[in-house]
Amino acid sequence: MFKKILIANRGEVAIRINRAAHELGIKTVAVYSQADKDSLHVRVADEAVCIGGPLPKDSYLNIPAIISAAEITDVEAIHPGYGFLAENAHFAEVCESCEIKFIGPSADSIRRMGDKMAARETVKKASVPLVPGSYERVKDKDDALQIAKRLKYPVIIKASAGGGGKGMRVCHNDVRLVSAIMTAEREAEAAFGNSAVYIEKYFEKTRHVEIQVLGDRHGNLIHLNERDCTIQRRHQKLIEESPSPAVDPKLRRKMGEVAIKAAQAVNYFNAGTVEFLLNEDGSFYFLEMNTRIQVEHGITELVTGLDLVKEQIIIAAGLPMTIKKQDKVQLNGHALECRINAEDYQNNFAPSPGRIDRYYAPGGPGIRIDTHVAAGQVVSPYYDSMVAKLMAYGKDRDDVIKVMTRALDEYIVEPIKTTIPLHREILRNPIFKRGQFYTDFIPRLFGKYLKEQS
Ligand code: ADP
């Protein structure tokens, strides 16, 4: 096992990784930007190195600075967390060439799944069902119109290098399609340095259901059930749960098998997630594979009893993972996660950074909070607006909704604006309670808060 690792991230995930490392008896090195010198992830680590200015490109995306920090502190491995360099194949290669283990999959798996069009091509060969759509970049306006005619409106334009909902546009007619292609290409170029976009059929009554997979370098590859991430705003997750209210054991088995096939297609090891759209009739389609730990991994931990971050470290060290056989995977109870973002949700979800003066976290039976904030901490405008992940665990779905509702009622994060009151409203919504919702839940029922709806 490693003696010391570097955590190339910030915020709650850096603290999460630090916890797993310390429990495994591993020393940790934090890296931080000048904006984060007073952050909690710096305090909990055994050592810390400043790697540059507040802008991500100067620090958390600054590969030479991170590698230098790893070399001067003499670590054996780097955990990239999620976001920043987690899905950067070049970074994984640089780590390995410096004889530092990258705690994640191979650079080749990252590369082959990182580009959405390439990933579609790869999993298609493995007979994984795909969202109907194109396989090549849109060449021009006529090409786009022809694809849309074949798929029938509505369609969605996506950036091949995409992520975080950037470069995505839903179109209902030719006029909108033609103008949206150009803006999506521009947005993709600015965000990813790659303007390639392609087109998929847009499903209006669909759910986002993803399968957690875990594999090691000893040939073991299993899935750890599904997470339902259907409650989204602007195609970004707000609430996640496991198991999904729309998945029964038979469907779980089928989706799990398909997810494993997708992972096998790129010789996957470490933790990964295969995302699907699940339609009303039980048909499901591959969306993409995320080759890293996900924000919402904690709810899988609550229902399976596994520690996914520890597993990641164990796997990167070349050891076999704890559970090797599919039939040993547990699914007990029900878990929910609410993403608490520093956002003014009543004002189009505008970011609401600033100092937190009053902070009171809920606790008691069935509650887990992963966060990097506390009273006196400043939510920086430079980074992601997520301030905490509030997770609840109960014996079944009704039970966990009660636990989460009372926890949200206890939670105080002031005076910045957060999504806590929105979550309170959602948890009390009868459609949410029945579990019969689709990805249009927020725009349809809480559309008053969204200025532009796609
Ligand atoms: P990103 O990588 O930018 O997050 P994804 O491809 O994972 O983009 O999609 C994000 C969300 O957008 C999905 O969870 C889903 O709600 C919505 N979405 C994406 N593609 C489709 C589609 N073809 N039909 C309906 N909804 C879609």
Side-chain angles (χ1 to χ4, degrees), residues 204-207 230-231 280 436-442:
E204 291 182 290
K205 287 270 171 263
T206 194
R207 304 178 76 114
T230 301
I231 305 291
E280 274 175 293
Q436 287 165 343
F437 45 75
Y438 299 99
T439 49
D440 64 352
F441 178 86
I442 296 283

Side-chain angles (χ1 to χ4, degrees), residues 116 131-132 155-156 158-159 162-168 170 192 198 200-209 229-230 232 234-237 275-277 287-288 290 292 439:
K116 287 182 202 258
V131 181
V155 298
I156 181 167
K158 285 190 179 178
K166 288 197 191 82
M168 269 180 4
V170 178
F192 315 108
Y198 70 103
E200 278 178 6
K201 171 79 189 160
Y202 185 71
F203 293 126
E204 291 182 290
K205 287 270 171 263
T206 194
R207 304 178 76 114
H208 175 118
V209 177
C229 316
T230 301
Q232 307 181 344
R234 291 203 200 98
H235 309 302
Q236 296 299 294
K237 299 161 188 169
E275 297 188 335
F276 297 101
L277 293 179
L287 203 52
E288 64 167 345
N290 289 319
R292 54 169 159 82
T439 49

Side-chain angles (χ1 to χ4, degrees), residues 28 40 48 119 126 129 169 186 211 225 256 265 288 318 324 361 401 438 449:
T28 55
L40 292 176
R169 290 282 184 289
R186 265 202 309 273
I211 303 280
N225 312 313
E288 64 167 345
K324 297 158 201 75
I401 289 175
Y438 299 99
Y449 300 140

Side-chain angles (χ1 to χ4, degrees), residues 266-294:
V266 293
N267 304 316
Y268 203 81
F269 56 82
N270 218 287
T273 299
V274 184
E275 297 188 335
F276 297 101
L277 293 179
L278 171 64
N279 286 356
E280 274 175 293
D281 61 2
S283 57
F284 59 91
Y285 305 89
F286 175 87
L287 203 52
E288 64 167 345
M289 180 167 187
N290 289 319
T291 53
R292 54 169 159 82
I293 193 83
Q294 305 256 115

